[in-house]
Every structure is written in C-alpha cells, then in structure tokens.
C-alpha cells in the first residue's frame, strides 16, 4: 500500500506537503532561537547548550538533538525526491511546447525549483560553517556559537549567502504553505484568502527574523 501511494502523484504531493510542514515548524523554532543572540553571548550560548541537554536525564546528552536532526534529514530528502520526481513526471506528460502561453504565475511559483536548489546548497554551507566549522572564517570555537555567528556575519560573503538564502526561504514558504494546504484538503474558496494571508505573513516573519541576525552584526548591535 505504501508503495502504491508513493508511486501516485497524489502520494508524492502529500509527502511534499507533510515534509514541508515539518521543515516549516523547525524554521519557526530555529528563528526564535536565533533571535536570542540579541540578548547577549551568555543567553545565546546557554540556549545552544540547552539544545544538547533537552530530555535529560531520560535522554542522553545530544540524543534529542540528534533525533531532531534525523527527522529533518528524512523530511528534506523526502521533500527533494518527491519534488524532483513530480517535476520529471510533469515534463514527460507535456513533451511538446504549449501553443498558447500559460497564464502568468507568481514570482514565488516560478522560482520554487531554483529556490529549492539554492536552499539545498545553503544548508550544506551552513552546516559546514556553524556546525562542523569546516569552512568557518576567523577560527571556529567549539562551544561558543555566539562568537562563531559574529565571525560568519563579519564577512561580506557570509552575509550575502545567508541573506540570499533567507529571501529564497521566504518565497518558498509563501508558495509552499498555500500549496500544502491545498494538497491536504485545507483549502477552499472561502479559506483561500485567509490561507494566502497566513502564507504571506509566515514568509515575511521568517525572512525578517532570520535576516535580523546578520543585519544586527553588520550594524554593531550584535558584536
């Protein structure tokens, strides 16, 4: 049954919707955590340490964090694979060019594919920068995330990469949230306007919340 559902377009769209909502919940929580940097190094570093001790003593050190990471990896892979397969299926279904031009779609809709690629590449860079420290500038300091974040956003390329990626997040969320609602049956003529308003609000909130951190470093509010 699972294979039959996965092989269908509806099944793949459902996987995309559910995995997308999982990632959206993570983004909201991650943004709130990031904003703690404005309360100083003590508050931010304590928050980073707390993430590794959640669930103790029932859960061992970092077990909860690793569980979250595994769920996120599964969600990202499922989202990317289903999106790719749906795209290939759509291309095969219409091998010829349209005689008439398609109706004009929103910028977010037209850039979903490239936005997803940008975000995928950004995630790799972000992990190598602030989790493993492999490509970190200024010398990665284990256990001092506040200083590591300041180091990253003290470089022009760190700011550019991050801000471009967060703009892509906003566009992706704006279209993706509404699409997920339609796929899961939450959309209707009476609710469409409200759902689009929520999608716009979430996109704006996440984009502004994430970009606030590099802007804070650039302006000296966070130093």
């Amino acid at each position: 049954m699972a294979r039959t559902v996965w092989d269908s377009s509806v099944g793949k769209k459902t996987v995309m919707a559910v995995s997308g909502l999982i990632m959206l919940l993570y983004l909201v929580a991650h943004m709130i955590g990031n904003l703690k940097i404005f309360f100083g190094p003590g508050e931010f570093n304590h928050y980073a340490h707390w993430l590794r001790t959640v669930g103790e003593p029932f859960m061992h050190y970092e077990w909860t964090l690793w569980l979250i990471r595994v769920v996120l990896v599964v969600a990202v892979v499922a989202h990317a694979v289903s999106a790719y397969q749906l795209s290939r299926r759509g291309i095969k279904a219409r091998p010829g060019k349209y005689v008439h031009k398609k109706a004009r779609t929103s910028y977010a809709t037209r850039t979903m594919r490239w936005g997803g690629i940008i975000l995928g590449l950004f995630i790799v860079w972000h992990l190598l920068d602030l989790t493993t420290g492999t490509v970190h500038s200024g010398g990665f300091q284990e256990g001092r995330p506040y200083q590591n974040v300041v180091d990253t956003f003290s470089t022009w390329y760190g700011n550019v990469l991050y801000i471009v990626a967060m703009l892509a997040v906003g566009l992706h969320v704006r279209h993706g949230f509404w699409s997920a609602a339609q796929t899961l049956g939450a959309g209707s003529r009476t609710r469409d306007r409200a759902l689009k308003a929520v999608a716009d609000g979430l996109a704006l909130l996440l984009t502004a919340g994430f970009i606030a951190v590099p802007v804070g470093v650039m302006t000296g509010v966070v130093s």
Side-chain angles (χ1 to χ4, degrees), residues 118-195:
I118 290 172
L119 291 176
L121 294 174
F122 167 76
I123 289 171
V124 173
W125 173 80
H126 195 51
L127 291 173
L128 292 176
D129 178 37
L130 293 176
T131 300
T132 66
T134 307
V135 298
H136 186 73
S137 60
F140 184 77
Q141 301 181 55
E142 188 70 38
R144 297 188 65 188
Y146 181 94
Q147 189 58 49
N148 293 332
V149 170
V150 171
D151 287 343
T152 290
F153 296 132
S154 295
T155 62
W156 68 266
Y157 58 86
N159 289 313
V160 170
L161 288 172
Y162 194 85
I163 291 174
V164 169
M166 293 309 103
L167 292 174
V169 164
L171 291 172
H172 215 76
V173 168
R174 181 174 179 267
H175 178 70
F177 179 83
W178 185 82
S179 296
Q182 304 305 308
T183 298
L184 298 177
S188 68
R189 288 185 178 180
T190 57
R191 290 195 291 262
D192 272 0
R193 182 174 294 181
L195 287 171

Side-chain angles (χ1 to χ4, degrees), residues 63-145:
W63 277 14
T64 302
L65 184 60
W66 274 106
L67 180 62
I68 293 171
R69 287 169 175 168
V70 169
V71 171
L72 282 172
V73 168
V74 171
V76 170
V77 171
H79 197 77
V81 170
S82 54
Y84 174 77
Q85 292 184 353
L86 281 169
S87 176
R88 297 300 302 172
R89 186 169 293 182
I91 292 173
K92 289 180 179 179
R94 51 177 190 272
K97 293 184 178 180
Y98 288 102
V99 176
H100 301 289
K101 290 184 178 180
K102 290 186 289 184
R104 188 176 183 84
T105 54
S106 70
Y107 184 75
T109 303
R110 297 196 303 272
T111 56
M112 282 294 282
R113 183 181 302 171
W114 285 108
I117 294 173
I118 290 172
L119 291 176
L121 294 174
F122 167 76
I123 289 171
V124 173
W125 173 80
H126 195 51
L127 291 173
L128 292 176
D129 178 37
L130 293 176
T131 300
T132 66
T134 307
V135 298
H136 186 73
S137 60
F140 184 77
Q141 301 181 55
E142 188 70 38
R144 297 188 65 188

